Amino acid sequence: MTDLDDLRSFIEVVESGGFNRAARRLGVSKSIVSRRIARMEADLGTRLITRTTRGICATEAGLEFKQRSERIISEFDEAREAVAMHAGEVVGRLRLSAPLNFGQRYLVPVLTELAGRHPRLELEVSFSDRGVDLIGERYDVAVRLFELRDSSLIARRIASVRPFIVASPDYLARYGRPEKPEDLHTHECLIYSGRSALDWKFRAGKRMISVRPKGRLFTDNGEAILNWTIAGLGIAELPSFMVSDAVKSGALVPLLLDYPMDAGAIYVVRPPGPYVPAKVRVLIDIMVERFRGEPVWDRSLMKERGREVAA
């Protein structure tokens, strides 16, 4: 008789497009997944999946069965969670996507504390600068920086984050220090290609100055940009949480501080819907608890800006 593990296996096979990928995501062997699908098809008396030249896909009956299976799993998880909450526990698996650098530097300690507070909560975390499809890839929640591209997602603002222009002392000794944003046109810039807006935008009183950076090094990975900047390969725009330690140590120098850039924010985003699972609520609560007010990564840099403006 079909059980919940069978339904979860079937959903994973359809979502991932193969038995091997589904087995890896479920943490079981391929043979177990195959047996579960075969058992369901025998029980229902119809074929649920079919093989094509591009892999495995659901039949028409399989698509309808998948939709109903997802509702069953969702309702079961909500019921399980509701019962657990009566005992003061949070249960289930939280699938989270977070940016690589912010995740490693600031989110790992938060998740460590979260796991300690809730022993029955499972965490599956992907640290990557890639913007995942929250719904299509079935993530419960994601941490996003600066821009929110998908307006259908529900976002909770956690903390501010400011972009800064930085360079190494070695680079500035060799090529000079830009005094105004327009001077960047004559400098080698390190370009982050992982966002839609390429221009660097500065405030000069009530006026905005927009500069299109030029350089020979492009990447969609912030850690690479940081390493290249410290190595003296160019000038970069990086968020405050990435550069604060390097500025404190003297490895990087903040530039153009009297031409501030607009602050962005760190958000937790989740799929649309009125129901907020407890596993998502506790993540949001602990992040607000840790990062509310002026974040630690902004304090030293804003003090540096205050000293330069005063000078």
Side-chain angles (χ1 to χ4, degrees), residues 25-182:
R25 291 174 66 170
L26 291 165
V28 299
S29 68
K30 177 185 174 183
S31 61
I32 289 177
V33 174
S34 298
R35 285 199 300 270
R36 287 174 178 174
I37 303 301
R39 182 168 61 234
M40 279 194 300
E41 291 181 328
D43 185 40
L44 295 168
T46 188
R47 185 173 294 278
L48 297 175
I49 59 175
T50 185
R51 293 186 180 275
T52 69
T53 55
R54 289 185 291 180
I56 290 174
C57 64
T59 63
E60 185 176 350
L63 287 174
E64 182 174 353
F65 188 69
K66 176 176 178 289
Q67 291 175 349
R68 294 176 183 270
S69 297
E70 288 172 331
R71 288 201 295 270
I72 292 170
I73 294 294
S74 177
E75 289 180 5
F76 174 78
D77 287 343
E78 289 181 23
R80 181 169 174 253
E81 181 181 277
V83 172
M85 287 299 291
H86 281 290
E89 296 183 323
V90 178
V91 300
R93 173 171 293 191
L94 178 67
R95 297 194 72 231
L96 166 66
S97 170
L100 181 62
N101 191 284
F102 177 79
Q104 292 177 331
R105 288 171 184 244
Y106 294 101
L107 197 56
V108 166
V110 171
L111 296 177
T112 302
E113 184 175 344
L114 184 67
R117 290 184 185 181
H118 304 284
R120 296 184 63 191
L121 178 65
E122 300 176 26
L123 297 177
E124 181 181 341
V125 188
S126 172
F127 292 112
S128 171
D129 289 338
R130 178 180 69 89
V132 301
D133 177 356
L134 216 63
I135 298 172
E137 298 180 55
R138 300 197 303 113
Y139 281 94
D140 298 300
V141 69
V143 176
R144 297 274 167 87
L145 305 178
F146 288 104
E147 54 187 12
L148 298 177
R149 298 179 184 178
D150 190 341
S151 60
S152 68
L153 299 176
I154 296 176
R156 171 67 186 270
R157 188 182 186 280
I158 301 298
S160 66
V161 58
R162 293 175 173 84
F164 281 83
I165 303 299
V166 292
S168 71
D170 175 63
Y171 177 90
L172 297 176
R174 287 182 288 127
Y175 300 107
R177 184 186 186 113
E179 299 298 334
K180 56 185 184 299
E182 293 85 353

Side-chain angles (χ1 to χ4, degrees), residues 14-28:
V14 177
E15 292 282 350
S16 64
F19 287 96
N20 283 325
R21 286 189 291 272
R24 284 196 298 270
R25 291 174 66 170
L26 291 165
V28 299

Side-chain angles (χ1 to χ4, degrees), residues 207-229:
R207 185 169 60 97
M208 293 296 297
I209 301 174
S210 184
V211 174
R212 177 63 59 90
K214 296 179 180 179
R216 63 189 180 90
L217 299 180
F218 297 75
T219 181
D220 62 355
N221 183 275
E223 190 70 27
I225 295 281
L226 178 63
N227 289 332
W228 289 343
T229 312

